[in-house]
Amino acid sequence: MKFLSAERIADFFAALATSFELRLPVMLPDGTRSIGTLEDGPIALQGGALDSKPTAVFFPQQEVVFTARDGEVPDTPLPARPLLVVGLTRCDLDCLRFIDRFFAGGWRDDLYFRQRENAVIVAVSGYCGAGGSLLPLAAGNCDLELVWDGSCWLVVPYSESGGSIADSIADSTGSGALQRIRTESLFHIDEGDAIIRRASELLRANRVPDSFWEEIGDRCIACTGCNLVCPTCTCFGVQDWRYRNVVERSRMWDSCQLAGFMREASGHNPMGSEALRSRRRIHHKLAADPERWGEISCYLCGRCDAVCPTGIGIVAVSQELVARFE
Ligand code: SF4
Ligand code: SF4
C-alpha cells in the first residue's frame, strides 16, 4: 500500500493533471465544496460529502447535444483525455452505479457515456467527514480509494488504472490504520437506511393517503434545491436554439417540483399540484425505482435533507410517513 502526506497531495494531483482531465473537490470562493479543476480553488478533500451533485461531472446541468449547420450534424469528437474524478463517497459511488444503469438501460445515452466510459474514479473515505468523522470505506465500486487515517492518505487501488496511479507514487512510507477503519466501516449504520426502507414498504403497500401529500406539498416552495443536489436525479428537458443556418440542441436538468415538469402541450398537467409533485419525488425513489430497477434509488447521501429550506428532504419525509402510517 502507498501513502501520501497532506503536504504531497497537491503535487500528486498536479502530476495526474498532465495525463487526465482532473476533477476533484475544491473550495469555491463562496465557501462551498464542489468538484472542479485545480484552477477553480484550493483542494478540499476533507469535509465529507460535497455540497453539489457529484454525478454532474458526467451529467452536467446544461450541455450541448449537437450543433447543426445547414442541416448537417457533424460527429462529436471523443474527449482527448479521460476524466479522473476524485472525491466521491461510498454513497456517491452507489448513486453513480445506479445512474450508470439508468443511462445504459434500454437505450444508451451516448452523451453520458462519452465522458463516463474511460473515466477513472477515485473515492475518499476515512476520518475526513465533517469535523473529522468517519466516511465509511468504499472498498470497491471505484478505481482507487484515498483513505484519510488522521495523519496521512492511504492509497488503495482496486483496478488496473488505479494500480498504475498508486504505482506512480514514489518514496512512500507510513503505517496507516486501514484495518481499524475497515472494521469501523463495517459497523457504520446510517439510521436513515431503516427509515427509508420502512417508508418504501408503506408506499408500495399504498398506505399513505393523499392528504399527507397535500401537507408536504404545502410546505414545498419549489426552489428545486433537492433535485439540483441529488446524484440520482436524472430528469432533463431538451431545447433547440436557431440562429440563421445554425441550430443548437441542448439539454438541461429538469425538476419534478416545478409546475411545468409534466405539463403537456394541450395544457393538461398530470402532475398539476405541488402535492402530486412532492408525492412523485419521494414515490419515484422509494417505490417506482425498486419496481423498475430492483433497488431504492436513494443512497442516503444526505444532500436533499441538508439543502431543503422547509425540512422535507427524503429522510425527513420518510420519518414523518413512518411515524404516522406504520
Ligand atoms: S439523500 Fe436525497 S439527494 Fe441523496 S440520493 Fe437520497 S434522495 Fe438523492
Ligand atoms: S428543496 Fe424542499 S422546498 Fe425546495 S423544491 Fe425540494 S422539497 Fe421543495
Side-chain angles (χ1 to χ4, degrees):
M1 185 165 55
K2 297 292 181 80
F3 302 87
L4 274 172
S5 65
E7 295 74 42
R8 291 180 65 196
I9 205 84
D11 289 342
F12 170 67
F13 286 127
L16 289 174
T18 61
S19 323
F20 294 96
E21 284 297 327
L22 179 64
R23 300 288 181 273
L24 75 174
V26 292
M27 185 68 77
L28 298 178
D30 65 3
T32 57
R33 291 169 60 245
S34 182
I35 289 191
T37 67
L38 285 172
E39 288 72 43
D40 291 330
I43 298 169
L45 290 183
Q46 310 240 10
L50 297 164
D51 300 306
S52 61
K53 171 181 180 125
T55 49
V57 178
F58 305 115
F59 174 49
Q61 187 162 14
Q62 180 163 15
E63 64 188 323
V64 173
V65 178
F66 63 75
T67 305
R69 276 173 202 282
D70 300 316
E72 296 291 322
V73 181
D75 288 341
T76 310
L78 289 171
R81 302 189 307 168
L83 273 169
L84 186 132
V85 182
V86 184
L88 280 75
T89 64
R90 182 164 81 177
C91 302
D92 294 340
L93 292 170
D94 283 333
C95 294
L96 182 62
R97 180 185 51 74
F98 181 82
I99 72 163
D100 282 350
R101 288 182 69 202
F102 172 81
F103 279 117
W107 40 270
R108 188 176 167 82
D109 189 301
D110 61 341
L111 218 53
Y112 176 82
F113 285 104
R114 195 178 293 156
Q115 295 286 356
R116 176 70 182 95
E117 205 133 63
N118 298 314
V120 177
I121 307 293
V122 179
V124 293
S125 61
Y127 304 115
C128 58
S133 59
L134 178 78
L135 281 183
L137 275 187
N141 264 351
C142 59
D143 296 287
L144 188 77
E145 186 162 10
L146 296 175
V147 187
W148 180 251
D149 77 350
S151 58
C152 76
W153 293 100
L154 320 179
V155 183
V156 187
Y158 298 107
S159 72
E160 203 177 317
S161 45
S164 309
I165 291 172
D167 288 345
S168 70
I169 300 170
D171 303 328
S172 164
T173 53
S175 53
L178 190 57
Q179 192 49 48
R180 177 160 59 96
I181 294 169
R182 189 171 281 140
T183 307
E184 285 182 29
S185 298
L186 281 177
F187 289 99
H188 180 88
I189 293 171
D190 191 325
E191 283 163 11
D193 190 55
I195 289 290
I196 62 165
R197 283 179 198 289
R198 286 155 69 189
S200 170
E201 279 167 26
L202 290 170
L203 287 167
R204 296 175 73 182
N206 239 339
R207 286 177 51 193
V208 184
D210 292 347
S211 56
F212 176 75
W213 299 111
E214 298 285 346
E215 286 174 42
I216 299 295
D218 283 349
R219 285 154 58 187
C220 176
I221 58 170
C223 67
T224 74
C226 49
N227 302 118
L228 289 178
V229 295
C230 178
T232 61
C233 276
T234 43
C235 291
F236 60 84
V238 175
Q239 60 186 20
D240 291 345
W241 296 97
R242 182 173 177 189
Y243 181 69
R244 295 186 177 157
N245 63 335
V246 177
V247 175
E248 182 177 278
R249 172 163 296 175
S250 60
R251 71 176 177 187
M252 63 175 66
W253 296 345
D254 203 347
S255 165
C256 56
Q257 297 301 129
L258 292 175
F261 177 66
M262 278 196 180
R263 192 169 50 222
E264 296 164 8
S266 66
H268 171 65
N269 192 343
M271 292 283 151
S273 70
E274 208 53 64
L276 284 173
R277 294 191 286 274
S278 294
R279 177 184 183 277
R280 185 201 179 275
R281 173 171 61 89
I282 306 295
H283 193 274
H284 188 182
K285 297 206 190 285
L286 300 189
D289 278 341
E291 304 231 332
R292 168 86 168 82
W293 299 100
E295 58 185 315
I296 289 173
S297 59
C298 166
Y299 299 92
L300 296 164
C301 75
R303 292 181 176 89
C304 63
D305 280 284
V307 81
C308 179
T310 65
I312 50 171
I314 197 163
V315 174
V317 170
S318 297
Q319 271 165 342
E320 261 186 76
L321 199 148
V322 167
R324 288 168 61 175
F325 305 111
E326 197 171 52

